Amino acid sequence: MSLKEQLTNDMKEAMKAHDKDRLAVIRMVRGAVRQQEIDGKKELGDEDVLAVISKEVKMRRDSIEEFRKGGREDLVEKTEAEIAVLMPYLPAQLSEEEIRGLVQAAVEQTGAASPKDMGKVMGVLMPKVKGRADGKTVNAIVRSMLTN
């Protein structure tokens, strides 16, 4: 079953269960996927749908930071609930230890020695962690390893 079919089935289940919050999040994701298809004039595959879902999760994580700065705990809770609905569609997320191992391998592979080489390391690393780790976390780990 493709991810788009999974989203449609989950939307139907949420409708039957009268789970309005989950239904709203799934509809929003399906709308974002549909918009990508219209913009690109092509049918999206699972990998493209994963990219859309990852983007939605990233936007929500960024929003949480801003809501916390503004003292809006109600919006933080709502946004965290939305992320909880989206996370099962993404591949299992890498732990910090796993990311560190991948970063170490990428640093050795590229021969990076200073923060100037960060682009090389990120270029090798991002395809390996795409959808499985937050880019900010990966960036921070790479930066810390190259400055030590």
Side-chain angles (χ1 to χ4, degrees):
M1 177 183 307
S2 74
L3 259 175
K4 287 191 333 187
E5 291 169 344
Q6 181 70 41
L7 285 167
T8 302
N9 289 343
D10 290 351
M11 183 181 75
K12 289 175 185 175
E13 288 176 20
M15 282 180 187
K16 289 176 185 174
H18 301 288
D19 188 345
K20 292 178 183 171
D21 295 334
R22 185 163 193 249
L23 178 61
V25 174
I26 293 172
R27 278 185 170 156
M28 175 275 315
V29 168
R30 289 187 72 235
V33 168
R34 185 75 187 118
Q35 189 62 49
Q36 284 287 95
E37 289 179 334
I38 290 169
D39 292 347
K41 296 182 175 123
K42 68 174 181 137
E43 187 85 10
L44 295 184
D46 279 355
E47 194 162 310
D48 299 321
V49 173
L50 273 177
V52 171
I53 295 171
S54 294
K55 181 179 174 186
E56 293 294 330
V57 169
K58 181 184 182 317
M59 286 179 2
R60 279 163 179 70
R61 284 187 175 141
D62 293 344
S63 296
I64 286 175
E65 291 176 26
E66 297 303 316
F67 294 150
R68 282 208 170 102
K69 288 178 188 173
R72 296 293 310 267
E73 284 303 313
D74 57 326
L75 292 176
V76 169
E77 289 175 22
K78 180 179 182 282
T79 307
E80 285 174 342
E82 290 176 359
I83 290 173
V85 170
L86 295 173
M87 289 308 287
Y89 298 104
L90 295 175
Q93 299 295 296
L94 296 171
S95 70
E96 191 170 324
E97 286 299 313
E98 291 170 315
I99 295 170
R100 285 187 184 284
L102 289 171
V103 169
Q104 186 63 43
V107 167
E108 289 169 7
Q109 180 182 343
T110 59
S114 71
K116 292 178 183 176
D117 300 324
M118 191 162 172
K120 291 180 196 174
V121 175
M122 292 298 283
V124 168
L125 196 57
M126 287 313 286
K128 294 178 184 174
V129 299
K130 186 176 182 181
R132 300 184 321 152
D134 180 45
K136 284 184 181 177
T137 306
V138 174
N139 190 313
I141 292 171
V142 170
R143 190 176 308 276
S144 72
M145 282 193 156
L146 290 178
T147 55
N148 289 341

